Amino acid sequence: MNIKEILDQESDQKRFMLGNEAAVRGVLESGVSLAATYPGTPSSEIGDILFNIAKDANIYFEFSSNEKVAVEVAASAACSGLRTFSFMKHVGVNVAADSLMTAAYMGVEGSMLILVADDPSTFSSQNEQDTRHFARQANIPLFEPSNPQEIKDYIQYAYEISDKFDIPVILRTTTRVSHMRAVVETGKYDKNTKTHGEYENIGLHVPVPEIARKMHEELVGKIAEIRKVSNTSPLNQIIDNNGDIGIITSGGAYNYVADIVNKYDLNVNILKLGFTHPYPEDLVREFLENNKEVLVVEEVDPIHEIETQAIAGKYHINTNIHGKRDGTLPEIFEYTPDIIINAFENLGLFEVLKREVNTPTLIPLPNRPATLCAGCPHRASFYAARQAIDSLNLDVESIHPSDIGCYTLGIAPPYNMANFLMSMGASVGASCGFSKATENQPIISFIGDSTFFHAGIPPLINAVHNKMKFTLVILDNRITAMTGGQTNPGIPIDGMGDEAPAISIEDLVKSIGIEFVETINPLNVNEMIQIYKDALEYDGVSVIIAKYPCNLINKSEIRSRNYMIQVDQDECIHCNKCIDKLACPSITLVDNKISIDQTCIKCGVCVDVCPVSAIKKEEVNQ
């Protein structure tokens, strides 16, 4: 849909919306004044939309330097009486957790919602962690919508809970829910008019031990009251299909359950949970008492299953409870309709469950490994690093801590430039550890510009202070690329689209005492190879800033290149260096001939790589 349509103020309109678009509409209809995020898939589209409409909606929006800062911005504004919104992907909660836990203690005078998009099956993440654990650890209410309409509606409901109990709340989506499309009926939207609040509780938001103990006591009391609400909430409902077998489910998992139950017209009762923390004990107890067998279907961890078993034990209910813990359902990855069918069959709950038989295709789909885009500057950085390392003729392996971003694809051959990855910023911290734990193994680590601002600065300070030795390559492609092209502190534009001071990575790195700092266009590969060699010889922390814009934001320059890249077949010696070492997807070997296809963006790296100048730039007559 057109982004501007989200601002349509008419109510009762039906629109075909992405889950993340519905989230923005829900935020607008709820009267949010401030929003802050660090971009992360599968929640990225929310920020992209807010970036484009924030001024029209009269709300403040920012791409914060990391998720912790985003939560702090939203929490402090909420304590000033505003309605605020922070959002991130699941691993972002790890970064935000320090402040998020205390925000629950402190409460809010306005209202505050944190949307967290989990990623079952790790489509774009390094792990499958389940945000519902954080809600329980922090004592924060949590809601789990299963489709775009519910995302919009639950957001408004969640803010009402936040208002009533002066507490932050979490809305948990998953990849499928965030990225599914469905018809959404929108409500009334009035343009925000509250741009500023007033902070009046000076001194009361300082959780020194004496105050923190009182805050914790009050928080526990709030959760006890909110549990009563969850038991009667319209977000939790029993769907009675006149059976004695039941399913407890929530979020995206509900969709698979509903599809199978409806498709096969099964007499299975469903307890659909939308308000899942505090867990609705009374409602679950009633459901257990009315069903002989209960299957708990949830993604990713058996959180509801464990709580359901605890309720059964507490009230001495003999209902058989199945799920992940007894092996009825897999403990990892997202679900599919077939997984739900297999669970039904494995339990023997139904005498007949006919499955439609699909004839498999005779031609299996080929694997399509992820690869860097044609002309990506990261490829040149990796190629140059590999050439520099190989030229040393070492009898030990080089070490390459990497980070979260497109450049993680450096793990693949022929570059092999990623062999250790933990989390945002960990490439630098890990390099510190390898520097002290190994000897004579060269260390070249990689981090993106946005990731450097996010979490790379503190470990780099650590490296200087503790006299480490390694080379850090900051891949400054002038944008937060992997999540779709959002701004970061190194870009002269802020989250409102206004001009903003760009933080110089080079100045920042030099300011902490690093003496070897080189900034280079990585497309100049021969020069970059030499800089790598010099950096590897340097006794200390060396930093190379590979600075060249991502193709996503460099389209005008690419279009202006009035030449073609072609292979002179008479001069080509078939060394295949451009294929085997550079591995650009635009270069192919067909019928024993090197050719360059139309995906080429004419970056020119292959021209420098060719040892006999058989690959050439040829001017195009205009």
Side-chain angles (χ1 to χ4, degrees), residues 579-604:
I579 295 284
D580 298 336
K581 302 296 184 182
L582 182 60
C584 175
S586 293
I587 305 175
T588 55
L589 180 63
V590 180
D591 296 331
N592 204 33
K593 289 184 178 181
I594 301 293
S595 62
I596 298 174
D597 63 34
Q598 295 180 344
T599 63
C600 173
I601 66 165
K602 300 169 282 188
C603 69

Side-chain angles (χ1 to χ4, degrees), residues 438-481:
T438 64
E439 189 176 15
N440 300 324
Q441 288 184 268
I443 303 167
I444 301 178
S445 55
F446 298 90
I447 192 169
D449 50 340
S450 180
T451 311
F452 178 70
F453 288 118
H454 177 285
I457 298 170
L460 192 58
I461 293 172
N462 181 78
V464 175
H465 178 70
N466 290 297
K467 304 180 288 296
M468 306 298 183
K469 175 177 169 54
F470 62 86
T471 297
L472 175 66
V473 185
I474 302 175
L475 300 164
D476 183 4
N477 60 3
R478 314 303 300 139
I479 206 69
T480 309

Side-chain angles (χ1 to χ4, degrees), residues 475-523:
L475 300 164
D476 183 4
N477 60 3
R478 314 303 300 139
I479 206 69
T480 309
M482 194 171 194
T483 51
Q486 297 82 10
T487 65
N488 65 59
I491 309 301
I493 300 172
D494 63 19
M496 299 294 290
D498 294 330
E499 185 177 346
I503 308 303
S504 167
I505 294 177
E506 184 173 349
D507 290 348
L508 196 156
V509 168
K510 289 179 178 179
S511 74
I512 62 175
I514 296 178
E515 297 180 359
F516 188 108
V517 182
E518 293 285 348
T519 301
I520 182 176
N521 177 350
L523 300 187

Side-chain angles (χ1 to χ4, degrees), residues 61-77:
F61 172 66
E62 74 173 42
F63 287 114
S64 304
S65 55
N66 64 32
E67 294 88 353
K68 181 173 182 287
V69 174
V71 164
E72 290 159 355
V73 168
S76 57

